[in-house]
Amino acid sequence: GAVVSQHPSWVICKSGTSVKIECRSLDFQATTMFWYRQFPKQSLMLMATSNEGSKATYEQGVEKDKFLINHASLTLSTLTVTSAHPEDSSFYICSAREPGGTSGGKVYEQYFGPGTRLTVT
Amino acid sequence: GENVEQHPSTLSVQEGDSAVIKCTYSDSASNYFPWYKQELGKRPQLIIDIRSNVGEKKDQRIAVTLNKTAKHFSLHITETQPEDSAVYFCAASGYFNKFYFGSGTKLNVKP
């Protein structure tokens, strides 16, 4: 099956610094990737849709200047948390959409990365 | 946007019993409904999914039903085993392939 990796798996950073998280599709090309945030014992909250070669689209309430997303290639999307604060501490998970066209309204399966645990001190 | 509600938040069953988790969604345009199992600190794993043109789907001990008119779908696990203990999430997806997740159900199967 399709494999998605994330790096790093965990990171600790100081308040005010920035941290970059990478999401890679290892055995398929992903024109669309998604970023989620999950607080302890809570659900996955969709943050943004990352589109290869174009700007990311953000969900309502997500600060695009704080969570910078870059999807520079068909296998890599990055999420940079800028000026991190303790309240940004969370589990960040990416997913990559199953390859395929968009015609016909078909919804495609998403393959999830293993997640990145961010702790801001 | 889509709003997915999931119940119950916790569910304890005896090994061998059945477990049912229910979700409702708000956007009638949603047409794909996956269910995920997530163990602590790990990625969600797809266990079963259903598309809007189907009312029921079964895979061994797991089944999902969908009622599009009422906008609800349910996960059924029969003959539960201790290894079924985990957090289960439902999701709904439609336009732009975005997934919106329910709040999760912590299932505890007691031996």
Side-chain angles (χ1 to χ4, degrees):
Chain A
V3 180
V4 176
S5 70
Q6 272 183 251
H7 178 81
S9 55
W10 60 270
V11 58
I12 301 173
C13 70
K14 291 187 176 180
S15 188
T17 62
S18 297
V19 61
K20 180 186 286 188
I21 302 169
E22 294 184 348
C23 177
R24 293 182 185 273
S25 56
L26 298 185
D27 51 0
F28 66 102
Q29 294 182 332
T31 56
T32 303
M33 293 184 174
F34 301 90
W35 287 96
Y36 297 85
R37 180 168 56 185
Q38 186 175 32
F39 291 111
K41 297 184 179 181
Q42 293 190 25
S43 186
L44 287 81
M45 186 193 79
L46 178 64
M47 298 175 67
T49 303
S50 173
N51 302 296
E52 188 269 336
S54 65
K55 290 183 179 180
T57 54
Y58 291 81
E59 294 298 297
Q60 191 172 8
V62 178
E63 299 175 62
K64 62 180 181 180
D65 294 330
K66 181 170 185 61
F67 299 100
L68 301 179
I69 291 172
N70 185 283
H71 194 152
S73 78
L74 287 171
T75 59
L76 173 64
S77 174
T78 60
L79 169 69
T80 301
V81 183
T82 63
S83 187
H85 291 285
E87 56 265 31
D88 297 324
S89 299
S90 187
F91 192 51
Y92 291 87
I93 305 177
C94 71
S95 70
R97 199 194 73 176
E98 179 183 15
T102 55
S103 64
K106 182 184 175 184
V107 179
Y108 294 85
E109 183 176 345
Q110 291 183 19
Y111 301 99
F112 285 86
T116 296
R117 175 76 57 194
L118 169 63
T119 301
V120 184
T121 61
Chain B
E2 175 67 278
N3 181 44
V4 180
E5 295 191 356
Q6 183 172 345
H7 300 280
S9 56
T10 59
L11 179 60
S12 286
V13 298
Q14 207 67 38
E15 181 178 359
D17 287 350
S18 296
V20 180
I21 302 171
K22 298 183 178 182
C23 287
T24 60
Y25 62 99
S26 61
D27 190 347
S28 56
S30 292
N31 57 8
Y32 176 65
F33 307 92
W35 285 89
Y36 289 89
K37 177 182 180 182
Q38 187 182 32
E39 297 178 357
L40 191 62
K42 296 190 176 181
R43 77 185 83 196
Q45 292 181 301
L46 178 69
I47 56 172
I48 196 166
D49 57 12
I50 192 166
R51 297 185 185 273
S52 59
N53 57 348
V54 177
E56 184 175 357
K57 184 177 178 180
K58 190 174 181 180
D59 182 5
Q60 299 183 352
R61 297 186 297 110
I62 296 174
V64 57
T65 58
L66 170 65
N67 183 326
K68 280 212 72 179
T69 303
K71 296 201 194 83
H72 67 70
F73 56 113
S74 300
L75 177 71
H76 304 252
I77 306 174
T78 59
E79 300 172 28
T80 54
Q81 301 166 2
E83 51 265 37
D84 294 330
S85 296
V87 178
Y88 291 80
F89 291 100
C90 63
S93 180
Y95 290 134
F96 308 116
N97 283 204
K98 296 181 182 181
F99 282 19
Y100 295 96
F101 284 82
S103 53
T105 297
K106 183 175 182 180
L107 174 64
N108 179 35
V109 181
K110 295 175 284 187

